[in-house]
């Protein structure tokens, strides 16, 4: 990763406490060892989910027009399988080949990889796009019947998965939201170039 990508991920979820084989530590206290600079991650606020998907499609077209980035160097990660399906449908409608992350074994393919924040763990791409990070979308709202402790645990897991997704790109990171950005992004806004 670049310093800018790690800084943005740390600003979003660096205060979270993680359990590493029984040893609890704050994620932001870990040594990152990042040695190169790059562009600030970008955050695009849109008017609708359709606009977010249109931005993702347009950005993919723009990125692959650069000689050093191929379609297989890109990934789109979202919080849920339903959202992943919406992304894949939008890419298909735009004539962009995609592959579900749950069928990707790490071997190069000429397709944008699409899946959840959880599923992208352990993988690396030149550029990652993370849509649906608006205040009304992420983290998921508490549902009726879900206790406060259960909701807090689900939110903590979602934050951890978002951190992982934000650290998967080597060179470029794009986030989108509908309306206002999620409250979890608010403390990190200075780490992003706002589009």
């Amino acid at each position: 990763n670049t310093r800018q990508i790690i800084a943005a991920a740390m600003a979003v979820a660096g205060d979270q406490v993680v359990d590493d084989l029984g040893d609890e530590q704050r994620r932001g206290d870990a040594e990152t060892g990042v040695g190169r600079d790059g562009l600030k991650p970008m955050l695009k606020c849109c008017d609708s989910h359709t606009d977010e998907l249109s931005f993702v499609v347009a950005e993919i077209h723009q990125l692959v027009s650069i000689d050093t980035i191929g379609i297989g160097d890109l990934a789109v990660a979202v919080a849920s399988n339903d959202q992943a399906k919406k992304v894949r449908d939008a890419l298909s409608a735009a004539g962009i080949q995609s592959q579900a992350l749950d069928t990707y074994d790490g071997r190069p393919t000429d397709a944008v990889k699409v899946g959840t924040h959880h599923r992208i763990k352990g993988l690396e791409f030149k550029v990652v796009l993370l849509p649906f990070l608006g205040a009304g979308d992420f983290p998921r709202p508490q549902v009726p019947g879900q206790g406060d402790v259960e909701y807090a645990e689900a939110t903590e897991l979602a934050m951890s998965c978002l951190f992982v997704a934000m650290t998967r790109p080597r060179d470029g990171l794009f986030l989108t939201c509908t309306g206002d950005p999620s409250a979890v992004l608010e403390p990190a806004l200075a780490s992003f170039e706002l589009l």
Side-chain angles (χ1 to χ4, degrees):
N1 307 103
T2 64
R3 284 187 181 95
Q4 290 78 7
I5 289 172
I6 291 297
M10 287 296 193
V12 169
D15 283 337
Q16 264 194 301
V17 174
V18 292
D19 186 336
D20 185 13
L21 300 173
D23 183 25
E24 288 190 354
Q25 64 182 21
R26 201 174 60 84
R27 180 177 278 126
D29 293 340
E31 185 65 40
T32 60
V34 177
R36 66 187 182 96
D37 282 314
L39 299 173
K40 267 186 168 183
M42 298 181 196
L43 173 62
K44 171 74 171 170
C45 294
C46 301
D47 293 330
S48 68
H49 289 156
T50 300
D51 288 346
E52 286 189 66
L53 292 171
S54 295
F55 175 81
V56 167
V57 165
E59 203 56 46
I60 288 171
H61 283 304
Q62 174 66 29
L63 289 164
V64 297
S65 73
I66 302 168
D67 288 340
T68 59
I69 298 177
I71 196 82
D73 296 326
L74 307 174
V76 181
V78 291
S80 71
N81 287 321
D82 288 344
Q83 291 173 341
K85 182 179 180 331
K86 288 178 185 176
V87 171
R88 292 197 66 207
D89 289 347
L91 296 181
S92 179
I96 298 172
Q97 183 74 25
S98 69
Q99 178 180 2
L101 278 172
D102 58 4
T103 67
Y104 177 57
D105 62 8
R107 285 182 274 182
T109 64
D110 287 329
V112 176
K113 311 315 179 284
V114 180
T116 62
H117 298 158
H118 175 75
R119 184 62 73 176
I120 202 170
K121 184 177 182 176
L123 301 173
E124 183 178 283
F125 300 92
K126 284 187 179 178
V127 178
V128 173
L129 299 102
L130 304 175
F132 307 131
L133 291 174
D137 298 312
F138 187 88
R140 290 183 189 167
Q142 190 169 2
V143 296
Q146 185 179 37
D148 291 342
V149 171
E150 182 185 358
Y151 179 67
E153 289 172 354
T155 299
E156 185 176 316
L157 177 60
M159 288 292 298
S160 184
C161 288
L162 176 61
F163 177 84
V164 167
M166 289 181 71
T167 60
R168 299 303 86 203
R170 292 189 305 263
D171 302 314
L173 176 62
F174 294 84
L175 284 66
T176 68
C177 62
T178 291
D180 293 328
S182 168
V184 304
L185 298 180
E186 290 289 336
L189 289 181
S191 299
F192 294 95
E193 180 178 333
L194 304 178
L195 301 176

